[in-house]
Amino acid sequence: MAIELPKYTKVDFESENDIRWCPGCGDYAILSAIQAVMPTLGVPKEKIVFVSGIGCSSRFPHYMSCYGFHTIHGRPLTVATGVKSTNPDLSVWVVTGDGDGLSIGGNHFIHAMRRNQDLKVLLFNNRIYGLTKGQYSPTSELGKKTKSTPMGSIDNPVNPISLAIAAGATFVARTVDKNVKHMTEVFKKAAAHRGMAFIEILQNCVVFNDAAFENYTGKDVKDDHSVYLEDSKPLIFGKNHDHAIKLSGFHPEIISNTNGSSKDALLHQETAEDRALGYVLGQMGIENSEFPVAFGVFRRVEEPTYQDRLYEQEQIAKQKKVQTLEQVLNSGDTWVVS
Amino acid sequence: MTITEQKLKRTETLEEATIRFAGDSGDGMQLTGGQFTNATAIVGNDLSTLPDFPAEIRAPAGSLAGVSAFQIHFSSKEIHTPGDALDVLVAMNPAALKTNLRDLKPGGMLIVNTNAFTETNLKKAGYDKSPIDEVLSKRYQVFSVEISKLTQLALEGMNLSSKLIDRSKNLFALGLMYWLYTRPMEATVEWLKKKFSDKPEILEANLKVLKAGYHYGETTETFISSYEIKHATIKPGKYKNITGNEATVLGLIAASQLSGLPIFLGSYPITPASDILHELSKYKNLGIKTFQAEDEIAAIGSALGASFAGAIGVTTSSGPGLCLKSEFINLAMKTELPLIICDIQRAGPSTGLPTKTEQSDLLQLMFGRNGDSPIPILAASTPSDCFDTMIEAVRIALKYMTPVFFMSDGYLANGAEPWKIPQVSELPKIKVNFRTEKEGFFSYLRDKETLARPWAIPGTPGLEHTITGIETEETTGKICYDPQNHDSMCKMRVHRIENIKEDIPEIEVIYGESKGDLLILGWGSTLGVITAATESLLEKGYKVANAHLKYLNPFPRNLGSLLKNYKSVLIPELNLGQLKLLVRAKYLVDAQGFNIVNGKPLMISSVIDAAEKLLKEVKS
């Protein structure tokens, strides 16, 4: 008999702890969107776990009323791996940032993705270190002037979407704190995905990197400088839907769509087995500003998860060999002394 | 010699023997030693083994760096160590001779494979000419045996590659030693049959070589007599040989079964701990999960996540790995989750000597974290003691909601001894207290007796809470920056671990009186050596005693009073004085150290010397 779930509302996922993010921080909108999505998951509250690392975003679990583990810098994916592997019934969400997830935790990022750990990973990308008060991050643009780079950063930035796709994440999406509706949709899709669901959330840091995403999320420019991906639909953008993306070999091209001639426009395929399409789309916009920045789901494929395989092996082993502790202790070459 | 004469070869009865097989790392010395160990166990001798192998998988053939050795001490009496000096050294090449000869007793037997003493091999070992000369023969009983050639002859007519023939020469040496010490060959024959069940040709070849070695001893005039070592008086029961790493694995399995909780091992390969990962991963049928993580940090992180979710989280490593895990260990301490952290020590610092033993991580485990970070530490003292120590570590972790360090070392990990297999009913029960009661729940509400916080695992309705490395308020577990609260939380963390001393046994004197001139205090794998040294010192009439610590944090509650019953205290350690530092600091006792870090176990004789020197000072 199915147990009936309590009818949750957003309030049920709010905690009584005071929220300590700066006024105007993009984190508030993300928190609110997540709290609003939780009642729609069909998962009892006690089976939801939020695991975070260190950084502004990693305070997140304290502001939810589910189970939470606020761990150490860069390591939430490792803890989440142990949680999910121990109890695969849990819905495990990881909250990390560009420093936590891609700098100090870069190694774990790659391996969690390639293993298709059944986790939802929210990477708050504000392209700066906020909690330590304003050093450049691995997603900061080349030449970024910060406290630690007074003459401008000399590191090339990492693109989280490309990295996740290259590493083998089975669900990869980008959204932005400003667009609550889109965030909510993406979170729901991620929740519905079995396997590694990676979401880059462009998140504005009002104090140390304000307006970092204005060039493609600002009111007046967003239509011409961003494109929203929808499965099986052409990539069309612009205020008047007058532009489209065409793929020429491995390179995107902007074509005119003034007369609605979208038949040359690239049809997006979330479920394409080949990782190349998602990779190409992920590269657009952020570092090469002639292209619009893509938002939405880049890749969504079904593959056995790490936990599927873990429990499958366990089942096979259990069927093959039943052993008591006594049998284990007495196995191997033994002899009796009388 | 006629057949009748052959049968008249004498068999002398000895009390004990220490022998060592030494050869190239490709010569199969570990396998040979392992087989000899099994046969010796079947005879019923008490035994102790010491494998010694290089860090390089295949150092250049014939080089000094590539020498691999296996030592076994067996006796008709109870023994405590793999032996100090050798009665027999089997040297398969010049490099093996060079690196091992110094441990052979004067007058001991030296069996060399003369075919390997070629000009190239001699050069590689740093010899200008063959060392097997008159000088050597005056000091030792040298037996030059053409092991390689005799192996070839035994296999004449079989269509085998010369490489394969050469690789089976260790079985000739094994067969010869079986004859020399009158060991039965059956177990090895059975083992070979099983191993090569689908390769009948190789099986036949191996059996031929093994028997050729045995018959060589029996029929040639080289050896005048063989030796017999009667079975020891051992407690009745069922036995098996067990290494420290195997016992550690069985301890984990037992703890899992006794507590009813699944084990989750997060590990990253590192010598000498990897075998625990290998062995434990064979028990998926018991619901044991093993995760080979991307690094040491992920290994412990995943284990801690598993503990949070209600499993027994375990991570296994060695010193360098422990360094990497420090931050997570502190998080486990702060969040008060049960976690088993195994440190199979090796010679440090840094990469150190990966395959050599040492007990030099004690202070790292005690103090190697930021802030005041108390964590219980338990150390196993023999290979089979790893089993009991592990069960005890899990018991403490679950009862007191704390990470616990389990310490072993390379010597225990790879060394073997006979283990009386316990009855499951004799094993301690391990209680688990998952909190399910909603009423009055707070994440840091402490149990009055154990001072443990509740273990409320995800999936439990109504107990949703968040844990964190940030300082939290007593009882509520909420983030709290209040200075007074921090002060009391730090003191509580120290107090609650110190409190465990009421729940562990008092330390007892092993040999000697409860008062006297000298107490020899040890911990970990030096138990056998120190006990053997104490026995000798007592026989010499000294007023000495020895005691051994399994619990390094907290110390047994009577340790301070025990120390004060002796005029002097000697602490022999395979480090430069780590326990000594703790004991002196805590008890204000003028304990003296005996410290050596040569990558090998202590020598009984050197402990005796150090004790006698100290005793002389006490008298004067």
Side-chain angles (χ1 to χ4, degrees), chain B residues 62-227:
Chain B
S63 68
L64 294 169
V67 174
S68 172
F70 189 100
Q71 182 173 326
I72 172 169
H73 177 199
F74 48 108
S75 171
S76 56
K77 281 196 170 167
E78 192 188 347
I79 51 168
H80 307 291
T81 75
D84 271 12
L86 306 172
D87 297 302
V88 180
L89 171 64
V90 181
M92 299 298 280
N93 68 11
L97 179 68
K98 181 120 188 195
T99 49
N100 290 283
L101 187 62
R102 67 185 143 210
D103 296 330
L104 186 60
K105 279 179 191 165
M109 280 172 96
L110 174 64
I111 300 171
V112 291
N113 174 19
T114 45
N115 296 125
F117 281 63
T118 61
E119 204 173 315
T120 332
N121 280 348
L122 286 166
K123 214 168 146 195
K124 278 184 196 165
Y127 287 120
D128 294 333
K129 60 182 185 66
S130 176
I132 307 164
D133 55 12
E134 280 180 26
V135 183
L136 204 65
S137 299
K138 272 180 194 152
R139 240 181 279 161
Y140 309 105
Q141 311 169 50
V142 180
F143 298 94
S144 299
V145 184
E146 293 183 301
I147 294 178
S148 302
K149 195 178 156 195
L150 290 163
T151 302
Q152 278 168 22
L153 288 173
L155 298 178
E156 217 165 34
M158 287 188 76
N159 189 19
L160 297 168
S161 70
S162 55
K163 196 178 159 192
L164 211 100
I165 293 171
D166 190 60
R167 278 179 59 182
S168 55
K169 66 178 182 290
N170 60 327
L171 289 170
F172 189 93
L174 180 63
L176 178 56
M177 295 308 282
Y178 277 168
W179 172 80
L180 192 62
Y181 283 100
T182 51
R183 320 268 99 175
M185 282 197 290
E186 284 76 11
T188 298
V189 170
E190 285 312 307
W191 178 79
L192 286 168
K193 279 184 181 165
K194 214 167 169 186
K195 184 169 165 138
F196 297 111
S197 60
D198 53 349
K199 291 171 188 154
E201 264 217 328
I202 297 179
L203 172 65
E204 193 194 334
N206 279 326
L207 291 177
K208 271 189 177 173
V209 176
L210 179 72
K211 284 173 189 167
Y214 193 94
H215 293 143
Y216 179 83
E218 197 173 49
T219 52
T220 66
E221 293 181 14
T222 320
F223 297 91
I224 300 157
S225 67
S226 62
Y227 303 98

Side-chain angles (χ1 to χ4, degrees), chain B residues 245-264:
Chain B
N245 276 347
E246 287 165 357
T248 303
V249 167
L250 293 183
L252 282 169
I253 293 170
S256 168
Q257 299 278 315
L258 295 167
S259 63
L261 293 184
I263 294 264
F264 179 97

Side-chain angles (χ1 to χ4, degrees), chain A residues 16-17 20 45-51 54 59 61-62 64-73 75-76 78-87 90 104 107-109 111-112 114-115 117 306 310-311 313-314 317-319 321-326 328-338, chain B residues 38 41-42 234-241 250 253-254 257-258 264 283-287 289-295 297-298 301-302 304-306 308-311 327-328 331 335 337 387 418-419 421-424 427 456-470 478-479 481:
Chain A
E16 52 188 36
N17 294 320
R20 293 169 190 249
K45 190 174 150 179
E46 67 270 16
K47 291 194 173 177
I48 301 171
V49 183
F50 277 80
V51 182
I54 293 290
R59 290 296 181 97
H62 293 284
M64 298 291 294
S65 64
C66 320
Y67 280 94
F69 200 163
H70 178 199
T71 71
I72 51 176
H73 202 19
R75 321 299 174 198
T78 71
V79 172
T81 293
V83 172
K84 182 72 186 181
S85 299
T86 298
N87 186 351
L90 301 173
I104 187 167
N107 192 25
H108 312 308
F109 184 91
H111 294 283
R114 79 171 165 89
R115 291 187 182 115
Q117 295 286 357
Y306 182 85
L310 180 70
Y311 280 86
Q313 283 198 344
E314 190 172 303
K318 280 180 175 168
Q319 281 162 12
K321 197 168 186 182
V322 179
Q323 262 180 314
T324 63
L325 176 57
E326 196 177 351
V328 172
L329 297 182
N330 285 279
S331 66
D333 292 330
T334 62
W335 70 94
V336 174
V337 174
S338 47
Chain B
N38 286 344
I42 288 166
I234 299 171
K235 269 190 197 160
K238 196 167 172 190
Y239 283 79
K240 71 175 175 185
N241 275 327
L250 293 183
I253 293 170
Q257 299 278 315
L258 295 167
F264 179 97
Y283 291 97
K284 291 182 171 62
N285 61 329
L286 299 176
K289 293 175 183 68
T290 56
F291 172 58
Q292 183 179 320
E294 59 270 26
D295 60 26
I297 300 171
S302 60
L304 186 61
F308 176 57
E327 193 183 7
F328 253 127
L331 181 67
T335 53
L337 284 169
F387 177 81
W419 177 51
I421 302 167
Q423 296 293 324
V424 171
L427 298 175
I457 62 171
T460 317
L463 303 187
E464 294 85 359
H465 65 283
T466 292
I467 54 173
T468 172
I470 304 181
K478 284 186 179 162
I479 289 180
Y481 293 98

Side-chain angles (χ1 to χ4, degrees), chain A residues 142-187:
Chain A
L142 186 67
K144 178 85 173 173
K145 284 191 177 170
T146 69
K147 283 178 186 164
S148 58
T149 52
M151 293 174 72
S153 102
I154 54 173
D155 308 18
N156 289 316
V158 62
N159 180 321
I161 298 292
S162 306
L163 185 61
I165 290 174
T170 51
F171 178 100
V172 179
R174 181 189 284 140
T175 185
V176 56
D177 57 5
K178 273 187 173 184
N179 191 339
V180 173
K181 188 166 165 271
H182 187 257
M183 260 200 299
T184 307
E185 275 170 31
V186 169
F187 293 159

